[in-house]
């Protein structure tokens, strides 16, 4: 039996509650050793992981890892939210009783770390001193060293974060056991994996993966699922899969902050890391706060909504990241940043990495290049030459401090006041470039009906989006009706409320399919319009689905667009919207206890569309 007290005491982890927790799981999983991890251990752990062949060098101060081939993405089907209260079952949270799931996970985890080290990773998902600090502390136990290395990049990691807690019991117990990846039947009817958040016990039990969102428990399981539940149970805050940016008008000195949710593949990270377009760069600066999670609370003193990014790093999708789409991301993973790449292509000889979209064509000389599975490109089977070199969900993991335009006040424990909340999904028609919503219930309604084009035709219904409420569908931890009510309560309690907007950078010409808006840096322009609208400097044009910019209100200096394309993205396709309203009704009807304000918002929009004829 491992001497847990000696290991924890030696590392300065004094809390009796933490010791009891570690003792229990070290015993159950049968770990051979226990080791506490703090951020300064990074260099040593990197050295050990290199020596063990778990990671490879990817140029100066960067590293590369391949995951097990059947362990490459977050698994939604195997993810469960548990509590002791059946009323917590929602449409999306895959609720199961805690008294059923805990024994099941304990059975899977029993003895499963035999012979391995259990890394004890004390962490904080918020800047220290945050008003939400009591919801931010956690201790992840993991039997995988690369997971510990990722956690050091993605969370504030150190024993002192736990020992300084006002309430020593208030930490999330986050247990990660990899299991024998070869024998878990991933994706088959006999799948052994389970990723469970027992939300009312603030306990996370993940078994059967050492990859990303399944294994870095501070991020999604704690930062989103558990925090959303805590925010609701305490009535204090919202935890959302949102990016958060700052915009500074260097002429007036005013600073603005915008957060917002985008379903996957709708450009959230690119937007979060956006720079001002050349023609506007002299006046506006865009600062980065976070690309994936924001916690929002109303401040009782000044009546504003404050947002914080609880994370410490970026776990970004590598595919399609280039000088054109996201130069900021490339700078953030430059040599010397300590970046960990996962499942991209790797060159044994040069230690370079590459992924689809990094450059228009893969390296011409394939010498030394291996794909993400480790197969030499030169030795790929003849029928396999067209397969991607990098996995589509390959990633880079880098600390926020490496992002060149990280906001100077990103570590402010209070967070930053939020001026606007935006939603946006990839939609080829109907959704204009931007429509602003000034009514709270209509804004929340818009978030609840957020969707993006499904990647495959959904049951043949043309125009049907895959709805992804607030971009939280995979992370919902409590019922949707209560979720909507909590949104109305938290934002409604602020004396000065953010403006809402829905954006879409992805409208296409129905004829030749070209994008009607250039996107990327130019996306700053509609956001500036939104801030001007909020300040009463422009009036826009009221439509049944919100206020859209009058053409002369958008600053288009230097934008490559045509008057025809602009006309389309600044107009409302009423027949398509009427069709959409029927789908929305079906979507919302699934949610028990949806507040009457949301239904009223839906009926108001439907009536306005009706009257628009
Ligand atoms: C996700 C992520 O899965 O951020 O959404 O990694
Ligand atoms: Mn995400």
């Amino acid at each position: 039996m491992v001497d847990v007290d000696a290991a924890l005491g030696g590392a300065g982890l004094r809390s009796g509650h933490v010791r009891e927790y570690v003792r229990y799981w070290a015993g159950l999983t049968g770990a051979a050793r226990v080791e506490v991890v703090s951020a300064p251990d990074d260099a040593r752990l990197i050295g050990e992981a290199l020596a063990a062949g778990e990671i490879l060098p990817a140029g100066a101060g960067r590293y590369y890892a391949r995951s097990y081939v059947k362990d490459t993405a977050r698994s939604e089907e195997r993810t469960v939210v548990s509590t002791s209260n059946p009323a917590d079952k929602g449409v999306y949270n895959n609720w199961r009783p805690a008294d059923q799931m805990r024994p099941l996970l304990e059975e899977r985890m029993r003895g499963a770390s035999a012979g391995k080290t259990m890394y004890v990773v004390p962490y904080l998902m918020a800047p220290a001193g945050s008003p939400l600090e009591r919801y931010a502390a956690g201790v992840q136990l993991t039997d995988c060293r690369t997971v510990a290395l990722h956690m050091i990049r993605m969370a504030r990691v150190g024993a002192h974060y736990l020992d300084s807690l006002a309430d020593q019991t208030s930490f999330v117990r986050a247990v990660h056991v990899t299991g024998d990846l070869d024998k878990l039947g991933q994706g088959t009817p006999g799948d052994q994996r389970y990723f469970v958040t027992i939300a009312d016990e603030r306990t996370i039990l993940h078994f059967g993966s050492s990859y990303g969102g399944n294994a870095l428990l501070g991020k999604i399981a704690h930062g989103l699922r558990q925090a959303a539940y805590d925010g609701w149970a305490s009535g204090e805050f919202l935890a959302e899969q949102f990016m958060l940016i700052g915009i500074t008008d260097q002429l007036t000195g005013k600073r603005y902050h915008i957060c917002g949710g985008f379903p996957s593949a709708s450009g959230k990270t690119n937007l979060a890391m956006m720079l001002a377009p050349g023609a506007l760069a002299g006046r506006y600066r865009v600062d980065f706060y976070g690309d994936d999670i924001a916690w929002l609370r109303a401040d009782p003193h000044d009546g504003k909504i404050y947002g914080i990014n609880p994370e410490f790093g970026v776990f970004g999708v590598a595919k399609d990241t280039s000088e054109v789409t996201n130069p900021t991301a490339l700078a953030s993973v430059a040599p010397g940043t300590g970046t960990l790449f996962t499942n991209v292509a790797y060159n044994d000889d040069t230690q370079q990495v590459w992924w689809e979209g990094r450059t228009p064509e893969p390296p011409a000389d394939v010498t030394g290049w291996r794909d993400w599975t480790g197969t030499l490109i030169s030795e790929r089977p003849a029928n396999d030459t067209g397969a991607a070199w990098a996995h589509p969900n390959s990633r880079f993991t880098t600390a926020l401090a490496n992002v060149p335009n990280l906001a100077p006040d990103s570590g402010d424990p209070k967070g930053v006041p939020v001026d606007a909340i935006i939603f946006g999904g990839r939609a080829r028609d109907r959704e204009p470039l931007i429509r602003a919503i000034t009514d709270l219930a209509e804004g929340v309604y818009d978030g609840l009906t957020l969707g993006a084009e499904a990647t495959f035709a959904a049951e043949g219904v043309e125009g049907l989006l895959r709805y992804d409420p607030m971009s939280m569908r995979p992370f919902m931890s409590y019922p949707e009706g209560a979720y909507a009510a909590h949104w109305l309560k938290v934002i409604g309690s602020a004396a000065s409320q953010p403006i809402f907007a829905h954006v879409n950078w992805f409208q296409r010409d129905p004829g030749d399919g070209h994008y009607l808006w250039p996107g990327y840096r130019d996306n700053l322009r509609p956001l500036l319009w939104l801030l001007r609208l909020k300040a009463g400097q422009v009036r826009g044009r009221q439509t049944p689905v919100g206020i859209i910019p009058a053409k002369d209100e958008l600053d288009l200096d230097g934008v490559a667009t045509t008057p025809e394309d602009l006309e389309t993205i600044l107009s409302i396709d009423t027949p398509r919207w009427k069709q959409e309203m029927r789908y929305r009704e079906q979507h919302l009807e699934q949610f028990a206890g949806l507040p009457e304000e949301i239904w009223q918002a839906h009926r108001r929009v439907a009536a306005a569309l009706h009257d628009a004829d």
Side-chain angles (χ1 to χ4, degrees):
M1 177 72 195
V2 193
D3 188 346
V4 170
D5 289 291
L8 270 52
L13 253 183
R14 285 178 290 274
S15 157
H17 300 281
V18 174
R19 288 187 186 202
E20 190 188 324
Y21 155 66
V22 180
R23 222 180 279 126
Y24 180 79
W25 288 100
L28 187 135
T29 61
R33 291 165 296 277
V34 166
E35 184 183 319
V36 179
V37 171
S38 284
D41 295 319
D42 192 59
R44 177 180 54 79
L45 291 169
I46 287 277
E48 290 172 11
L50 285 167
E54 293 157 0
I55 59 173
L56 298 167
R62 306 196 304 183
Y63 310 95
Y64 171 61
R66 281 188 193 103
S67 70
Y68 178 69
V69 284
K70 293 184 197 154
D71 187 29
T72 55
R74 200 159 41 70
S75 162
E76 289 183 19
E77 323 75 70
R78 306 301 300 170
T79 299
V80 169
V81 173
S82 288
T83 64
S84 303
N85 184 0
D88 288 340
K89 180 174 168 49
V91 174
Y92 296 130
N93 68 353
N94 205 9
W95 182 89
R96 306 264 287 270
D99 60 5
Q100 181 187 356
M101 293 315 290
R102 184 184 271 275
L104 220 151
L105 268 289
E106 293 205 346
E107 184 196 307
R108 298 268 198 289
M109 290 179 171
R110 198 174 303 282
S113 303
K116 294 187 176 181
T117 299
M118 173 180 275
Y119 297 94
V120 177
V121 186
Y123 65 84
L124 203 58
M125 294 304 292
S130 152
L132 298 177
E133 188 169 304
R134 65 188 169 287
Y135 305 107
V139 179
Q140 172 160 358
L141 309 180
T142 176
D143 60 6
C144 177
R145 185 160 32 205
T146 43
V147 168
L149 287 169
H150 278 84
M151 281 297 290
I152 290 175
R153 283 151 184 75
M154 295 303 297
R156 292 160 178 86
V157 170
H160 59 285
Y161 292 121
L162 265 286
D163 277 331
S164 58
L165 280 183
D167 175 358
Q168 289 284 310
T169 63
S170 179
F171 63 94
V172 169
R173 290 149 172 83
V175 186
H176 167 244
V177 173
T178 305
D180 187 348
L181 296 175
D182 254 338
K183 300 205 175 93
L184 298 178
Q186 293 91 338
T188 69
D191 203 325
Q192 296 293 300
R193 301 170 300 161
Y194 266 119
F195 309 116
V196 182
T197 297
I198 308 179
D200 55 354
E201 296 177 26
R202 307 193 77 227
T203 295
I204 297 165
L205 304 176
H206 279 210
F207 172 78
S209 167
S210 60
Y211 192 74
N214 300 328
L216 314 178
L217 304 189
K219 183 179 173 60
I220 287 170
H222 180 165
L224 285 174
R225 282 187 205 99
Q226 181 65 55
Y229 190 90
D230 288 343
W232 171 58
S234 66
E236 278 187 52
F237 68 107
L238 298 163
E240 305 296 328
Q241 192 191 208
F242 282 4
M243 61 96 211
L244 177 62
I245 58 173
I247 298 174
T248 304
D249 181 339
Q250 299 178 108
L251 194 67
T252 62
K254 286 215 169 104
R255 286 180 58 67
Y256 306 90
H257 302 95
I258 299 181
C259 67
F262 294 73
S264 11
S266 296
K268 178 158 59 78
T269 298
N270 291 348
L271 181 68
M273 294 188 163
M274 168 180 68
L275 302 172
L280 303 184
R283 173 146 181 200
Y284 298 101
R285 199 186 72 227
V286 186
D287 288 328
F288 174 86
Y289 287 88
D291 77 321
D292 200 41
I293 304 181
W295 291 0
L296 305 175
R297 67 179 176 91
D299 190 289
H301 304 296
D302 64 10
K304 293 182 185 166
I305 296 293
Y306 279 78
I308 55 165
N309 170 15
E311 302 198 82
F312 192 62
V314 178
F315 180 59
V317 174
K319 184 171 186 293
D320 289 331
T321 303
S322 72
E323 301 292 352
V324 176
T325 62
N326 196 339
T328 309
L330 289 186
S332 311
V333 302
T337 52
T339 301
L340 288 167
F341 295 98
T342 310
N343 289 348
V344 297
Y346 177 78
N347 191 306
D348 283 344
D349 302 339
T350 63
Q351 301 180 350
Q352 286 173 297
V353 289
W354 188 85
W355 51 83
E356 273 65 27
R358 169 72 188 81
T359 50
E361 297 299 330
D365 179 1
V366 300
T367 313
W369 280 102
R370 291 181 188 271
D371 69 14
W372 70 274
T373 67
T375 306
L376 273 172
I377 300 293
S378 58
E379 288 180 8
R380 278 177 154 193
N383 60 358
D384 203 16
T385 46
W389 288 25
H391 189 278
N393 190 35
S394 55
R395 299 280 179 146
F396 56 83
T397 309
T398 188
L400 293 183
N402 293 320
V403 180
N405 62 333
L406 180 67
D409 57 350
S410 72
D412 187 336
K414 190 171 178 202
V416 290
V418 172
D419 297 280
I421 298 176
I422 62 175
F423 302 113
R426 183 179 281 271
R428 67 176 56 229
D429 67 355
R430 185 178 55 78
E431 277 295 359
L433 180 64
I434 186 164
R435 49 184 178 87
I437 299 164
T438 50
D439 174 78
L440 169 60
E442 280 179 30
V444 175
Y445 162 71
D446 192 69
L448 295 172
T449 51
L450 174 62
E453 276 167 15
T455 43
F456 48 89
E459 287 145 22
V461 186
E462 202 189 305
L464 192 64
L465 300 193
R466 179 188 193 256
Y467 289 108
D468 185 349
M470 308 268 185
S471 71
M472 284 291 283
R473 181 175 170 143
F475 314 115
M476 283 285 183
S477 52
Y478 61 99
E480 292 74 9
Y483 175 84
H486 186 48
W487 257 89
L488 294 174
K489 179 181 146 191
V490 172
I491 307 293
S493 70
S496 72
Q497 291 174 16
I499 190 168
F500 287 85
H502 196 109
V503 298
N504 179 26
W505 326 130
F506 300 103
Q507 263 213 62
R508 290 183 184 234
D509 182 275
D512 64 13
H514 78 266
Y515 285 103
L516 302 183
W517 175 249
Y520 303 114
R521 292 177 184 219
D522 289 318
N523 296 338
L524 179 62
R525 299 168 193 271
L527 298 183
L528 291 174
W529 171 84
L530 180 66
L531 296 172
R532 284 201 286 270
L533 181 78
K534 186 165 187 241
Q537 293 158 1
V538 292
R539 301 189 42 187
R541 186 163 69 80
Q542 183 70 53
T543 79
V545 291
I547 304 168
I548 63 176
K551 261 173 256 154
D552 59 353
E553 290 173 350
L554 274 181
D555 187 339
L556 294 175
D557 185 16
V559 188
T561 177
T562 66
E564 297 74 38
D565 288 356
L566 204 58
E567 175 72 34
T568 310
I569 59 177
L570 295 182
S571 55
I572 299 299
D573 180 345
T574 309
R576 277 288 286 113
W577 268 98
K578 285 185 172 168
Q579 182 192 34
E580 165 65 10
M581 294 307 280
R582 291 196 293 275
Y583 300 141
R584 286 186 171 193
E585 190 138 333
Q586 287 164 12
H587 163 65
L588 294 179
E589 271 166 0
Q590 306 172 86
F591 306 141
L594 204 60
E596 184 50 27
E597 291 99 307
I598 302 296
W599 280 117
Q600 281 167 2
H602 175 71
R603 287 195 289 267
R604 266 201 309 279
V605 174
L609 282 162
H610 185 264
D611 293 347
D613 276 349

